[in-house]
Amino acid sequence: VIRCRAAVAWAVGKPLSVEEVEVAPPKAGEVRIKIVATGICRTDDHLLEGCFPSADFPVIPGHEGAGIVESVGEGVTSVKPGDKVIPLCLPHCGECNFCLNPESNYCLKSHISEPQNLLPDKTSRFTCKGKQIHHFLWVSTFAEYTVVPEYAVAKIDAAAPLDKVCLLGCGFSTGYGAAINTAKVKPGSTCAVFGLGGVGLSVVMGCKAAGASRIIAVDINKDKFAKAKELGATDCVSPRDFKKPIQEVLTDMTGHGVDYSFEAIGHTDTMTAALASCNLNTGVCVMVGELPSGSVIPMDPMLLLSGRTWKGTLLGGWKVRDTIPKLVSSYLEKKFNSDLLITHTLPIAKVNEGFELLRAGKSIRSVLLF
């Protein structure tokens, strides 16, 4: 058993508390990882707000981390102690119908199919003050040591800087992949990106990498416009600057609407606006933002009847266990610069300050260090 620090959420809506926790050794098929760095993602904030119906408190949040394998359980062959790894919030068992489908990046072990608040044997490896602490998406990267199933770990290049590539565990990969894999943005096309947080700005980077000729960034926070332009946006607009709906503004700017639109906020009204802003026949709209469970989006069926495509994306469509190591290699080869998304680096003791920066719109990505 290892005693270490972790940021524990004891109840919905309460600040995180940095505690000493006990982390049990890995069982068969499990890996114990020393987390070096972890990003703060909006999904962690959704957890703290109680938007995850399958999550149980107390819980250790965090799902965008990178670390080093400390020990492995019986039967683990893909990683060994000392390997640099990224824990995967979307597992890849390699055996279910989805994993065996080359066009799918889903896995039946995912939290959408079964809760990931305990490890697969329905027990926790965390205790604090004599109480069982739940896992989050199996990864719980806000703990200095965490235990995950082997099929939720990807071994990465030993040269990778963990305080930078942790973003590839969720935010960057989700946004970048939404453009490249899910929408399959074509060279010369026009795109609109709603929401300029870490994920939305990664969508901008993906659209640019795919060769889009025009990338319109949409946000009510104009402080994010400079970063959006640095990453490839050609235009930046705030819905608050117009009397008419933003979808009409985008249609006027482009003639018939954009070829591809992306919603990276997680609001029902912006989901509808994003759909209506892509052209009525061949337009593709990708839902990237996370809506609270049970949300309902009112929409005019004519928006789809005319031919538009409306899609969702899970972690950018990457088959993560295979492709996260390749993305890390691309990062090391400087094929993209995800470092530009990191605006703050904080010690784990300042985790609540990191969430305050996120909620105030003052950060793109804060990285916590142990």
Side-chain angles (χ1 to χ4, degrees), residues 130-271:
K131 291 184 179 170
Q132 170 183 280
I133 308 293
H134 291 91
H135 295 248
F136 177 52
L137 303 180
W138 284 339
V139 288
S140 291
T141 55
F142 288 4
E144 197 170 1
Y145 287 86
T146 189
V147 178
V148 299
E150 181 182 14
Y151 46 73
V153 180
K155 180 182 173 181
I156 61 171
D157 194 308
L162 298 178
D163 60 330
K164 303 289 192 278
V165 299
C166 58
L167 267 58
L168 276 57
C170 177
F172 174 77
S173 301
T174 297
Y176 195 74
I180 291 186
N181 299 326
T182 309
K184 295 182 170 59
V185 169
K186 293 188 178 74
S189 59
T190 56
C191 303
V193 182
F194 287 70
L196 302 177
V199 174
L201 289 171
S202 300
V203 175
V204 171
M205 294 169 80
C207 292
K208 184 182 180 186
S213 62
R214 195 169 184 194
I215 303 166
I216 306 168
V218 183
D219 203 302
I220 56 174
N221 183 352
K222 293 184 177 181
D223 292 345
K224 297 187 173 179
F225 288 177
K227 181 71 77 173
K229 289 204 164 166
E230 182 186 2
L231 295 175
T234 54
D235 307 75
C236 294
V237 294
S238 168
R240 289 181 175 168
D241 288 346
F242 302 92
K243 289 202 168 73
K244 57 187 171 186
I246 190 64
Q247 55 265 41
E248 292 181 20
V249 174
L250 293 170
T251 301
D252 290 347
M253 287 173 74
T254 54
H256 302 286
V258 295
D259 299 308
Y260 305 96
S261 62
F262 303 84
E263 201 277 5
I265 305 166
H267 291 168
T268 54
D269 55 347
T270 42
M271 290 277 182

Side-chain angles (χ1 to χ4, degrees), residues 43-44 47 52 59-63 116 134-140:
T43 301
D44 298 309
L47 168 69
F52 270 80
V59 60
I60 297 174
H63 63 284
Q116 291 181 355
H134 291 91
H135 295 248
F136 177 52
L137 303 180
W138 284 339
V139 288
S140 291

